[in-house]
Amino acid sequence: MTITVPATPTGSLGHAWRECVGTGRANLSLRHDFVVSAALAHDVIGFRHIRGHGLFSDDMGVLRESGGVRRYGFTYLDQVCDTYLGAGMRPVLELGFTPGLLASGTQTVFWWKGNITPPRDLGEWTGLVTAALRHLIARYGAAEVRGWPVEVWNEPNLATFWDADQATYFRLYDATARAVKAVDAALTVGGPATAPDAPEWVRAFGEHVLADDVPCDIITTHAYASGPAQHIPFGVYQTLRPPSHLLEQFALPRGLYAGTPLAGLPHWVTEFNTSYRPDNPIHDTAYNACYLAPVLAGGGAAADAFSYWTLCDVFEEENIPTALFHGGFGLLARHQLRKPTWHLYAFMARLGDEVLARGEDHLVTRHADGRLGLLAWQPLGGSAEGPYGSAPASHRLRLRLPVGACPRAAIVRHRVNEHAGNAWTLWRELGRPASPDSRTMELLYDAAEPAVEHRAADVDADGTLLLDLTLERHEITLVEVVPVVPTHHEGLDDTRLLGHEPSDDEGRR
Amino acid sequence: MTITVPATPTGSLGHAWRECVGTGRANLSLRHDFVVSAALAHDVIGFRHIRGHGLFSDDMGVLRESGGVRRYGFTYLDQVCDTYLGAGMRPVLELGFTPGLLASGTQTVFWWKGNITPPRDLGEWTGLVTAALRHLIARYGAAEVRGWPVEVWNEPNLATFWDADQATYFRLYDATARAVKAVDAALTVGGPATAPDAPEWVRAFGEHVLADDVPCDIITTHAYASGPAQHIPFGVYQTLRPPSHLLEQFALPRGLYAGTPLAGLPHWVTEFNTSYRPDNPIHDTAYNACYLAPVLAGGGAAADAFSYWTLCDVFEEENIPTALFHGGFGLLARHQLRKPTWHLYAFMARLGDEVLARGEDHLVTRHADGRLGLLAWQPLGGSAEGPYGSAPASHRLRLRLPVGACPRAAIVRHRVNEHAGNAWTLWRELGRPASPDSRTMELLYDAAEPAVEHRAADVDADGTLLLDLTLERHEITLVEVVPVVPTHHEGLDDTRLLGHEPSDDEGRR
Amino acid sequence: MTITVPATPTGSLGHAWRECVGTGRANLSLRHDFVVSAALAHDVIGFRHIRGHGLFSDDMGVLRESGGVRRYGFTYLDQVCDTYLGAGMRPVLELGFTPGLLASGTQTVFWWKGNITPPRDLGEWTGLVTAALRHLIARYGAAEVRGWPVEVWNEPNLATFWDADQATYFRLYDATARAVKAVDAALTVGGPATAPDAPEWVRAFGEHVLADDVPCDIITTHAYASGPAQHIPFGVYQTLRPPSHLLEQFALPRGLYAGTPLAGLPHWVTEFNTSYRPDNPIHDTAYNACYLAPVLAGGGAAADAFSYWTLCDVFEEENIPTALFHGGFGLLARHQLRKPTWHLYAFMARLGDEVLARGEDHLVTRHADGRLGLLAWQPLGGSAEGPYGSAPASHRLRLRLPVGACPRAAIVRHRVNEHAGNAWTLWRELGRPASPDSRTMELLYDAAEPAVEHRAADVDADGTLLLDLTLERHEITLVEVVPVVPTHHEGLDDTRLLGHEPSDDEGRR
Amino acid sequence: MTITVPATPTGSLGHAWRECVGTGRANLSLRHDFVVSAALAHDVIGFRHIRGHGLFSDDMGVLRESGGVRRYGFTYLDQVCDTYLGAGMRPVLELGFTPGLLASGTQTVFWWKGNITPPRDLGEWTGLVTAALRHLIARYGAAEVRGWPVEVWNEPNLATFWDADQATYFRLYDATARAVKAVDAALTVGGPATAPDAPEWVRAFGEHVLADDVPCDIITTHAYASGPAQHIPFGVYQTLRPPSHLLEQFALPRGLYAGTPLAGLPHWVTEFNTSYRPDNPIHDTAYNACYLAPVLAGGGAAADAFSYWTLCDVFEEENIPTALFHGGFGLLARHQLRKPTWHLYAFMARLGDEVLARGEDHLVTRHADGRLGLLAWQPLGGSAEGPYGSAPASHRLRLRLPVGACPRAAIVRHRVNEHAGNAWTLWRELGRPASPDSRTMELLYDAAEPAVEHRAADVDADGTLLLDLTLERHEITLVEVVPVVPTHHEGLDDTRLLGHEPSDDEGRR
């Protein structure tokens, strides 16, 4: 079956897919390898915001006491913000966790011990919030900071992250949101930053802010597709629900708030991924990229932003990784080694802004200069598929593309699958070296490069071209179609060039 | 037929193949794109010397006159040498052409008008030589400059380059060589820098320096394989003699001087390539790389250095190129776009230092850490082959490699042929755009990347591995074989990972 | 006498002073050292446009012939434009000189032989203009290229630059301007790019374009202050008229065209400097910077742009310089060595946008954040002053500055004079080494750094501060005044710190 | 009184002063700002080794447990070593503190909680040591790692750092040293890394290793000059003993071990500074630099290395600093802001290798090319001086320098004192802003630049030059004296140049 792609756009690609990306705790953004990852992401993908936990955790030094005197300290906060802005990204100010000096208890989350107990005194807490925001505005200007969404806490619906009940969260939210607006009414504040599968929480949050007239400018929630963790040492395996489930989670608040005054608010999915575990090898695979392709292609219809968790493997929630590949969330492994899902984002970034067609295995776009950019993938169903959720060995799709009035087109294809653009596969072949030396890294960098194919083709008289693509298992493919007007070169005759084959049709031109 | 590669080295790879590289006239080394090309070559290939024409041509400003006063000027000479040293290369000081103020006539060569007439006064000439060398020693130190071979003139056996006879060249040589040694007896000076097919010239030069006891520390000659130029506008086509012909040219002086006091002198081929024309499209092809592979693999046995003419397309002998690809000599096209022959050099640079085997289609080496590095190519015969010198569509070779006592090996292959690692092919498919915009350049960079394949294989009980390679037409291939000792990971079971295929044998480990 | 600076701005500083800068012929912009200079200028000064000669000269390769076929070539033109844009500057497209293939004669200007004869056939010329502009628009987009003023020829009123009469220039102008507008009516085109002291030419040009309804969007003229050249080998000396003379030249077209339809057109001084000679040592001196300070401070009232000729000493009009300092036009000497006039521009770039006061020896500005930025200089009169135009050994000025309601202020002063920020002086002390080695360059870089002084002062109760400045001979000074609100630090007592002096008043805080 | 400096060298400057530098805990070397500081130190100073605490602390992840399985992890260790080597420095492998999984207790030191309890099981500990060293050798090669001294623990003579007695340390040392040598007998191992004022400990250590024939290749001790800490919030004040006291500490082991088999061992002072507190403002002052000048100038006679504690303010022992300047150990404050003591090191790095004279206020050296390099300082006595240890307002010294047979010399002086090269002074004038914005940082960078003065002088007929220097309070000065042979320039006459003053003697040349 051949799908005919219309020449008239059906919409705009937009930026929801790269509006935001996640990262490890704020202090890790001070790391050199993070800085390099962020610069690479800026050049290749162009994320617009970034969000991590722990802005107020003790390793950020925002509140210190010495000789009975307390002092706010924004040394590291400034460095973190400088780093983000230097990489072209604005921070999402996720406020948390509780500084030890303000905490009501000692309960913590993660290896790095984020304090998850409510502030002992909301006045002390809002004092910190107020001081931090005023400092940031003094340093970066109000116009800039107004573009930084403020999010109150992280996943308060989980006991892992919030050692208190919903009512206590709402009190925290209210005090914080009001303090934010008191600093500058044009700042953007929101929540509830809930973990997945919590529609009642999201609904209750909406009812609460409406009932009490609490400031709320943005709704934030999280989305993951994975089932329970099956542990092995230093790792877990999990099942996955189908990709459509992620899109449904993206769309949840719009459904819940339809018809209320909250209906028009921006909705950001401030975390999403397949698995919520930082040690599930799925994140390192082509399967992950292929599974998420329809989510990136279609998510913009469901949310204003959806933020991949996370940019890179500079991350320590479970502890310090002992091996190069360890199932980390990152688009980039350590040493800037690109994973298949990085390529998914890089492919998206090379698409045009006009959307011509979107289907279950493809997204066709056009650039302002007439080039077509096409993303294709093998549709995956998560665990619903055969044993181990495996997919067929290949997937074929045929598209009739509108190239326009042009005799020829050049077609360039980039492939990522179980073999191509897949350093993880080579790493396994190399015996899974924990900390590869520079010579081995060189091989891995080579293997991480997507395979490239190219050819020229005649455009049909009606200005269309039939593209017949066969994808390998778990493949994502980027195809760029360039209308070609050959340059005239008098006397040129490739058949006179040594080594020419008469069948090379380019020689005629 | 399978070739068994022995585990005992037969020799060392050495550096003759990268001892030197050619470049356009000295003034062009001031260009920004040249600087970038040189840095890239340093990082990837590691050339040790560099040689271009025109150190004394008027656009270098080495001699000026104003108000009746003459002054030497070394501003640009210093910048050129700084550039070379900054890229890890030492200059070969090819002395020429004649500054206008010293010339006996107005005859020039090239679009950039190098004056090819003998100096009117050898004393003025040696005055310049002496001043320049003294200045360089003051600036860079004698120890450094002693590593810079001084070559007297370029191709004096051709009327194109030397508007005088052999005896006049010998007088120039004698005066110059003696002036060089008078500055510092430990400097290295030599000639005759002859164009190919001039055995009588080379012989006469040897007899001359011996007869008159003229200083000569190094012998330099050139080698090209091309026949007469068949012109079209902005280009030429030519036939090529087989690669062995180049190796014979490399070996020429050793044969001619055998048994004389010159026999032990280093011999540098200070220029070589397939075609001697800067507008023959052959330089842009995979054919060129494939044809030269046995020359690079074997040339070290015939000469102490053989210098590819040239590093990059920052070059203006025929005039200023009007198109990105134009048959230029460069390993790199403009904008650092890598041609197939660049990859040949890059592949050589990834080989080990121990040579295990060398054959008509392969070179097998080993690194100190046990990895094997193997270069393979399809043997080409120049114009001797069928119509247009074309080769078969594929070439197969089988090698039994000594991997050592290790259960498994990872095999990584890099391929360059008519399609892979070949931006020129895509450029033709794109209609040969003269000056591509940045979006098109991005596609060309992608196409210039060699194709990468990788797999794991069991090593046989005797520590060997059969490598069965099929090369496409005009292909050069780099294969790296890494002995593998798998890391143990308790509980690891790739079959539990979503998307796994039971046939993926890496999963067992 | 003390000048009281008002707290209310009198105007905006604007960008006329950095709207444009000059550079050597276009081909030199391909040089590596030019690229580095341009990047430095972008970071420190922020020029917005750049203009050089020779876009169409033969070393740019815009028109070539081979085998009877002519071809336009935009390889270098693209590289030049890429370079400018990469440094944040847009080109001024000065169209000239005549390509050899189109020229009506062989008369040339400069060492680099720009052909100054009119095109033999205006159709061929406009063909080239049309092709070049279309190519640039295809590559950079019409929106971008519309910001690049097109200027027809250079100084046609001088026989040195135009081997024909005024009427012939007008014909060239008319054909060119119409061709430009035919490509895109929104492009900006203008002239007459006249050398100084040519009011009749400027007037005639205006009358001509009005009479014949020729497109003209911008008026361009040049301004220099120097008298006749007194030659020595490799250099010249000249007298200078006072700085006010330059400002009068800037203002000339506005006066001439007042009341005509041309009155509202933007006027760009596309070249200005003290001396018009590239080998007058005046360009290397503090005198040059000090002389030009009132021109930069006040020029914006007289013209929309005034373009210093030139950015750097990568310049070859008189030939290739034989020494580091040689009287070149550059703000930067070779190797990015900053001259005093560079510092004048750098000081201007650190001023605020609000102008509070402008006088014969000062310009006082304020930044949005309340800091004051003040440029002061010793007024110079050109040759009108005593023997050799020398100025008094010092100059004093007193300003009462409006700091605002703040107890203290920090005052940071940067000085450049005959000693400070003056590598040229050290270079003379070092014996004028022609091509200094890297160790000597290090000393010169140190000497090029402006002297910095700083102190704290009490602000008077009325929010003002008396600044009493004494400048050395030929000094330019930047003063930054920062209102200070001290941070409280409990227990802090500098008198308890080892080495403290009780008189250090900072210790009290 | 004038000191006559002889023309014959008395010795070589050597590298003891830059053989090593200290840094914060290993994990902090992963920070971006550390990487930038290290690169700057490499370029300017050229430290050869670097040493920090906490290689085995839990934030380095060297030992992890999951699902009952233990695994070594060298991810971060590799990154830290890569960083050091990338900055041209080799690590000193200070082994410690105890990983939580191996510790016998929970006692910790510092805000970052280094575990100071002995390993529960020495076999587990040496297992870690052995694994780490084997890994490093596999990764970097034995030849490289043999250049990395291994030091056992830090300051075991203090209860703060070692929660056990001397005998327990000796057991730790013995087991560790033997494990190190078992990995590779050519590795370098040593101790006892004692805090100052512990001669009995050092003596006992020597007796112990000799008595029990324990491997020991290097002796390490620490030296500080400060008295007890007088606390204020976020800071301390302390007295200092005179600089000679530091030199005596350096020399201690040589005295103690004289006549024993340990006498010939290299002795490294692996930590020294004025104050041992990371919050004593003395570290930010010119006093600190001036006080340490004789220590750097003379320390090489007393020890083979003395390692300034520390390179930069990326340091967290006391907690996270709340202000830019906070009395941190660093030569560099945050954002690479150079402190006076940085300049002391930078001045040392510009001296020549031949020492001509060394005195209480000067060190005179000569470079291979004949230039003289001279460091001068005001002698300080620590707290022994008047109130607050303050020194006179100025210090004068006169040296007759041997310049050689040359008519003239250029003299370039760099000054750092309470005002010049002193961003800390400006920072106080600015009101001590905790986290300055980029505009304020720009002012601070300017203020951190040493003041530069230069002049030419006639050399006396005997080839000497009298240098009469007056230093301001707490000043260190670098003077470079360059013999000058003026270049001849026919017709040059500075008196013809506008703005010239007849008294400018350079004009005569």
Side-chain angles (χ1 to χ4, degrees), chain A residues 258-274:
Chain A
T260 80
L262 302 176
L265 290 187
H267 169 223
W268 286 30
V269 178
T270 49
E271 286 184 25
F272 88 97
N273 205 323
T274 49

Side-chain angles (χ1 to χ4, degrees), chain A residues 27 30-33 59 61 64 66 71 75-76 78-79 139 233-234 316 319-322 334 435-436, chain D residues 27 30-33 58-59 61 64 66 71 75-76 78-79 139 233-234 316 319-322 334 435-436:
Chain A
N27 178 281
L30 302 172
R31 292 272 178 92
H32 178 65
D33 45 7
D59 63 357
R64 286 192 52 196
S66 171
R71 204 186 261 187
T75 305
Y76 284 1
D78 288 354
Q79 284 188 243
R139 184 177 178 88
F234 300 97
E316 293 181 344
N319 198 316
I320 297 164
T322 60
R334 298 226 163 235
S435 188
Chain D
N27 180 281
L30 302 173
R31 293 271 179 94
H32 178 66
D33 46 7
D58 283 353
D59 64 357
R64 285 193 52 198
S66 170
R71 205 186 258 187
T75 303
Y76 284 1
D78 289 354
Q79 283 187 245
R139 186 177 175 88
F234 299 96
E316 292 180 346
N319 199 315
I320 297 165
T322 59
R334 298 226 163 236
S435 188

